[in-house]
């Protein structure tokens, strides 16, 4: 017999008929000999309707009262589903977040789960009842018993957290699509269903806007080793398994606010190649990395910084032994990138840098916590370590520093994030992204095989063996909700990144891509660089206003906001040692005359910023280039 947690979203319980269909599915699962906890969302558009009512009363409603209001939506669903199960003869009981023992921070509208007291829950399970739980909600621990909500995607978070607390055999997420697809089926009807995907890949896709799973739910699954499967509410198809490595025995206390960083990693076997002032036009990155791919040069980080005038800087890191080969490729292609009317200009200047190292912090707990990156930058500043390059993802922040400063940087970061020396593969090479190189911590090959305890359930997935080699790209995501901020002439000295991103963290503004220009200009005796980063579009204006107010005090120049951007990304742990992946992505964009404004990579992700109006075309072009389309069209129910 298996203990299973099932979650049904708003569409799945959007009417009486659909609630009755869910009851039939739950009843069938129990009849197969399993114990069940069911987590549900509010019916259909109920939450939207409640928000509309609140906005008719007040343009800026109190967050506590909003939690009180919005929590009622799930309570309707749990009562109706419990009644439907009882009509089938199945004992069931409905429970709110407070009744089920979900204790959260006292943060209205965005609370994180501290712990779950499963005593009452287990008593009902052991009595043979199906426990139907209101997702999205909990209660504060301060003694006032305040109702709190978990924010967007909160029912996913509730379900996986309950599965972790109960040590359930697995957690099933039922939704309106057949599983996790290679991209949004509303944009590419031939999007293909994946059999399985790693938690790290799913974290990236979820954070890039793939709405089938919320990043916080995936974070909990990754941290506690909860086997997850995403399925359609309308069919019996097997869906997609989200796999995680064996967990490290985390405490269930402070479940969502435990240590955000699991490891400090470093790589001293690195060198940097940069091309300065390359023309800002479609096809440049494709030509450069196409040639790099043909010469079998394995690249780690790739950074294309913001353009100044009509040119960009492109930099990439390689291992020291192949630096000469990388330099030769860059030097050979540089003349072809220059203006033919002035071949002796300073365009496409090749710059090499030896004796660098990459230091990284890694951990799924960094999601949505702007203070983590800021703390890393502040720690390096306090240690007197200057940051030369920055690369970010949902589970890792990497900085390129001078090799001579690597030991000092690693020691400072271990101390700041309370990481023991034995808690990471220190010194192990974690080569990178970029389709670029190797997926250090997210490989599809080290996963434990899932063994489910109930052979009668149609949920077994024998394909999760460790024998198959994952494809280089698993999914393509488009984010149309970002804005880019650029700060000109930032003083190039330790502590500036810490001050900048510390300010943003204080205002609870999360940063996504961070790009530091490679060009360094000396103005009034002070070396300066430009820096650009992306934030959620709703934070763009506030961030610009706040940073402009402190510009003179902190010594930086103009703050420029661009909200007409889109970010298109590819994700895949199979980018291991395949330098052609980045080139293929850039070539797909070049063929459609889509100009790349920024590039940033991590071990398992490559992201490009393009013009907003070209975002959908960019996604479709890249999805086609990697042959991700399936033979059947996916229809998303209304």
């Amino acid at each position: 017999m298996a203990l299973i947690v099932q979650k049904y979203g708003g569409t799945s319980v959007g009417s009486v008929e659909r609630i009755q269909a869910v009851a039939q599915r739950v009843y069938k699962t129990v009849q197969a000999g399993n114990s069940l906890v069911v987590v549900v969302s509010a019916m259909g558009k109920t939450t939207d309707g409640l928000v509309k009512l609140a906005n008719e009363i007040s343009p800026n409603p109190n967050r506590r009262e909003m939690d009180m209001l919005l929590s009622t939506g799930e309570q309707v669903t749990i009562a109706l589903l419990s009644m439907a199960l009882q009509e089938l003869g199945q004992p069931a009981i409905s429970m709110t977040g407070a009744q089920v023992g979900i204790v959260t921070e006292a943060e209205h509208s965005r609370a994180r789960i501290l712990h779950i007291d499963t005593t009452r829950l287990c008593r009902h399970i052991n009595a043979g009842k199906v426990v139907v739980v209101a997702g999205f909600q909990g209660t504060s621990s301060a003694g006032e018993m305040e109702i709190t909500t978990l924010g967007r995607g909160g029912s996913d978070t509730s379900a996986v957290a309950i599965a972790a607390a109960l040590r359930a055999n697995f957690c099933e997420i039922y939704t309106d699509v057949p599983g996790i697809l290679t991209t949004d089926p509303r944009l590419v009807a031939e999007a293909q269903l994946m059999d399985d995907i790693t938690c790290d890949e799913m974290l990236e896709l979820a954070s890039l806007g793939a709405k089938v799973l919320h990043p916080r739910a995936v974070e909990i699954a990754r941290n506690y080793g909860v086997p997850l499967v995403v399925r359609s509410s309308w069919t019996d198809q097997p869906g997609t398994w989200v796999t995680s490595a064996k967990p490290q025995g985390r405490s269930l206390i402070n479940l969502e606010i435990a240590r955000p960083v699991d490891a400090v990693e470093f790589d001293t076997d690195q060198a940097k190649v940069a091309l300065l002032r390359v023309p800002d036009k479609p096809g440049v990155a494709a030509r450069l990395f196409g040639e790099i791919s043909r010469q079998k040069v394995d690249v780690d980080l790739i950074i294309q910084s913001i353009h100044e005038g009509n040119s960009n800087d492109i930099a990439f890191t390689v291992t020291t032994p192949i630096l000469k080969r990388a330099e030769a490729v860059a030097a050979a292609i540089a003349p072809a990138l220059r203006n033919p009317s002035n071949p002796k200009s300073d365009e496409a200047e090749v710059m090499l840098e030896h004796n660098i190292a990459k230091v990284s912090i890694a951990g799924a707990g960094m999601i949505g916590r702007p203070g983590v990156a800021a703390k890393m930058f502040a720690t390096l500043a306090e240690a007197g370590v200057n940051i030369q390059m920055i690369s970010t993802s949902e589970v890792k922040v990497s900085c390129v520093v001078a090799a001579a400063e690597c030991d000092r940087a690693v020691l400072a970061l271990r101390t700041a994030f309370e990481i023991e020396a034995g808690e990471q593969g220190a010194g192990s090479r974690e080569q990178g992204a970029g389709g670029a190189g190797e997926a250090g911590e997210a490989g599809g090959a080290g996963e434990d095989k899932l063994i489910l305890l109930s052979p009668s359930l149609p949920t077994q997935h024998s394909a999760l063996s460790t024998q198959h080699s994952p494809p280089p790209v698993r999914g393509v995501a488009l984010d149309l909700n970002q804005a880019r901020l650029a700060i000109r002439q930032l003083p190039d000295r330790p502590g500036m990144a810490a001050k900048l991103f510390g300010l943003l963290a204080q205002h609870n503004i999360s940063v996504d891509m961070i790009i530091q220009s490679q060009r360094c200009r000396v103005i009034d005796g002070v070396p300066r660089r430009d820096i650009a980063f992306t934030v959620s579009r709703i934070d763009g204006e506030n961030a610009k206003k706040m940073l402009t107010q402190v510009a003179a005090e902190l010594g930086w120049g103009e703050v420029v906001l661009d909200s007409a951007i889109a970010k298109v990304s590819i994700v895949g742990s199979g980018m291991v040692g395949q330098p052609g992946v980045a080139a293929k992505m850039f070539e797909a964009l070049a063929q459609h005359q889509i100009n790349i404004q920024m590039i940033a990579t991590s071990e398992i992700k490559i992201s490009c910023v393009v013009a907003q109006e070209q975002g959908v075309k960019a996604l479709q072009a890249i999805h086609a280039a990697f042959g991700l389309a399936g033979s059947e069209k996916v229809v998303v129910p209304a």
Side-chain angles (χ1 to χ4, degrees):
M1 184 178 79
L3 173 57
I4 305 167
V5 176
Q6 294 182 343
K7 179 262 177 177
Y8 294 90
T11 306
S12 303
V13 292
S15 66
V16 168
E17 292 75 22
R18 289 181 178 180
I19 288 173
Q20 289 171 329
V22 166
Q24 289 285 352
R25 187 185 290 270
V26 170
Y27 181 69
K28 180 180 176 182
T29 305
V30 175
Q31 290 300 300
N34 302 284
S35 298
L36 213 58
V37 175
V38 180
V39 178
V40 293
S41 300
M43 295 173 64
K45 302 291 184 181
T46 298
T47 302
D48 292 341
L50 293 172
V51 170
K52 185 173 182 291
L53 285 173
N55 289 332
E56 289 175 1
I57 296 291
S58 168
N60 186 26
N62 179 276
R63 291 199 320 185
R64 178 193 181 277
E65 302 310 329
M66 283 299 293
D67 277 2
M68 184 69 74
L69 176 67
L70 297 183
S71 65
T72 64
E74 280 72 20
Q75 288 175 228
V76 172
T77 315
I78 59 174
L80 293 175
L81 180 55
S82 294
M83 293 175 193
L85 286 166
Q86 291 161 7
E87 284 298 303
L88 295 173
Q90 171 59 50
I93 184 170
S94 61
M95 299 179 75
T96 65
Q99 290 172 323
V100 87
I102 297 176
V103 178
T104 75
E105 303 170 300
E107 282 282 343
H108 289 293
S109 79
R110 57 177 184 228
R112 287 181 179 267
I113 297 172
L114 298 177
H115 66 271
I116 301 176
D117 182 350
T118 60
T119 306
R120 188 175 179 185
L121 188 56
C122 290
R123 188 168 69 247
H124 289 302
I125 293 170
N126 293 335
K129 297 176 184 175
V130 171
V131 183
V132 184
V133 179
F136 176 66
Q137 62 181 248
T139 183
S140 68
S141 60
E144 289 90 354
M145 295 295 288
E146 289 287 313
I147 292 174
T148 55
T149 63
L150 309 182
R152 189 177 69 84
S155 292
D156 287 351
T157 305
S158 300
V160 182
I162 289 171
L166 289 172
R167 294 182 171 83
N169 295 92
F170 53 93
C171 179
E172 299 176 313
I173 305 291
Y174 284 93
T175 183
D176 55 4
V177 291
I180 299 165
L181 303 165
T182 51
T183 196
D184 187 341
R186 298 168 185 84
L187 301 178
V188 180
E190 297 81 11
Q192 190 173 356
L193 179 68
M194 302 184 214
D195 289 333
D196 57 88
I197 187 171
T198 68
C199 268
D200 282 348
E201 290 170 325
M202 191 64 236
L203 273 172
E204 298 287 6
L205 287 172
S207 301
L208 291 166
K211 297 175 182 176
V212 68
L213 269 178
H214 194 273
R216 282 170 62 185
V218 185
E219 173 191 352
I220 296 168
R222 180 186 188 270
N223 287 342
Y224 293 94
V226 177
L228 265 180
V229 60
V230 179
R231 288 203 175 96
S232 169
S233 297
W234 324 114
T235 71
D236 289 324
Q237 293 178 350
T240 305
W241 284 95
V242 183
T243 64
S244 56
K246 190 174 181 180
Q248 300 177 354
R250 282 175 174 258
S251 168
L252 287 163
I253 302 299
N254 292 333
L255 192 145
E256 274 202 283
I257 64 167
R259 193 175 66 185
V261 173
D262 294 325
V264 176
E265 303 165 351
F266 65 92
D267 183 358
T268 55
D269 191 22
Q270 294 243 325
K272 181 174 71 175
V273 181
L275 276 83
L276 308 184
R277 296 176 295 276
V278 298
D280 180 32
K281 60 184 181 183
V284 171
R287 293 178 70 178
L288 172 60
F289 289 98
E291 187 59 33
I292 285 172
S293 173
R294 285 187 285 275
Q295 298 300 325
K296 307 296 183 187
V297 174
D298 207 9
V299 173
D300 187 355
L301 301 179
I302 301 173
I303 300 292
Q304 178 178 306
S305 56
I306 53 173
H307 61 271
E308 183 176 329
N310 295 313
S311 67
N312 288 325
D313 298 339
I314 299 179
F316 55 93
T317 61
V318 296
T319 55
T320 304
I322 64 171
L323 176 60
K324 290 292 184 185
R325 193 148 40 107
E327 178 190 5
V329 172
I333 199 171
L337 300 178
R338 293 173 187 143
N339 187 337
S341 63
N342 187 17
K344 294 186 178 180
S345 71
D346 63 356
E347 287 184 329
E349 175 190 354
V350 180
M351 181 178 74
L352 302 180
E353 189 157 354
H354 302 261
N355 302 319
I356 63 169
K358 182 176 70 174
V359 293
S360 308
I361 56 172
M366 294 190 283
I367 295 170
R369 300 185 199 181
V372 177
K375 183 175 180 178
M376 179 187 192
F377 302 149
T379 300
L380 294 177
E382 288 167 7
V385 177
N386 198 34
I387 300 169
Q388 301 180 20
M389 294 172 69
I390 299 169
S391 175
T392 59
S393 79
E394 286 304 322
V395 295
K396 185 173 288 190
V397 181
S398 298
C399 295
V400 171
V401 302
E405 297 177 337
C406 181
D407 288 348
R408 189 161 78 250
V410 170
L411 181 60
L413 291 171
R414 283 178 183 161
T415 301
F417 289 103
E418 301 178 2
I419 304 294
E420 298 294 330
E423 290 186 76
Q424 69 278 320
S428 62
R429 169 136 160 79
E430 20 128 349
Q431 194 187 21
E438 298 176 16
E441 61 174 6
E447 317 291 352
D448 286 348
K449 197 171 185 178
L450 288 178
I451 302 173
L452 307 182
L453 304 184
S454 178
S456 59
L457 275 177
T459 52
Q460 296 206 14
H461 185 62
S462 59
L464 295 187
S465 72
T466 60
Q467 303 303 313
H468 72 288
S469 177
V473 175
R474 305 304 310 280
V476 185
L478 175 66
D479 190 342
L480 293 168
N481 296 308
Q482 292 214 332
R484 178 180 60 209
L485 286 144
I487 300 180
R488 306 293 186 188
Q489 302 175 15
L490 198 77
D492 183 31
R493 58 174 179 255
M496 290 311 298
K499 288 180 181 176
L500 168 59
F501 295 105
L503 279 169
L504 293 168
Q506 288 171 21
H507 288 78
N508 203 34
I509 296 174
S510 292
V511 175
D512 185 10
M513 296 172 69
I514 303 173
I515 310 289
Q516 196 169 246
S517 71
Q518 296 305 299
R519 274 175 265 185
C520 188
R521 292 168 296 171
V522 178
I523 300 175
D524 298 329
V526 179
R528 297 174 180 272
R529 297 181 191 270
D530 296 341
I531 194 166
F533 52 92
T534 59
V535 298
S536 173
R537 185 170 297 160
I538 61 173
D539 290 328
E541 288 290 349
N542 287 339
K544 179 185 177 182
K545 181 179 178 181
M546 182 264 294
L547 295 174
T548 301
Q549 287 173 345
V550 299
E553 175 189 345
L554 296 177
W556 59 56
E558 183 185 11
V559 180
V560 181
L561 173 65
D562 183 359
S563 296
I565 64 166
K567 184 180 72 173
V568 62
S569 307
I570 57 175
V571 173
S573 60
M575 293 180 184
V576 179
Q578 299 195 42
V581 177
K584 182 180 283 190
M585 179 184 189
F586 303 152
E587 178 60 30
L589 296 175
Q591 287 177 356
H592 288 78
Q593 290 298 301
I594 297 172
N595 193 37
I596 301 172
Q597 300 179 18
M598 293 168 69
I599 300 170
T601 68
S602 73
E603 275 74 11
I604 63 171
K605 179 179 72 175
I606 310 172
S607 295
C608 295
V609 168
V610 301
Q612 185 180 45
E613 68 269 15
Q614 293 184 308
V616 173
K617 184 166 72 170
L619 176 136
Q620 293 169 340
I622 293 167
H623 193 269
F626 285 99
L628 297 177
S631 57
E632 298 180 4
K633 291 187 177 183
V634 176
V635 178
V636 180

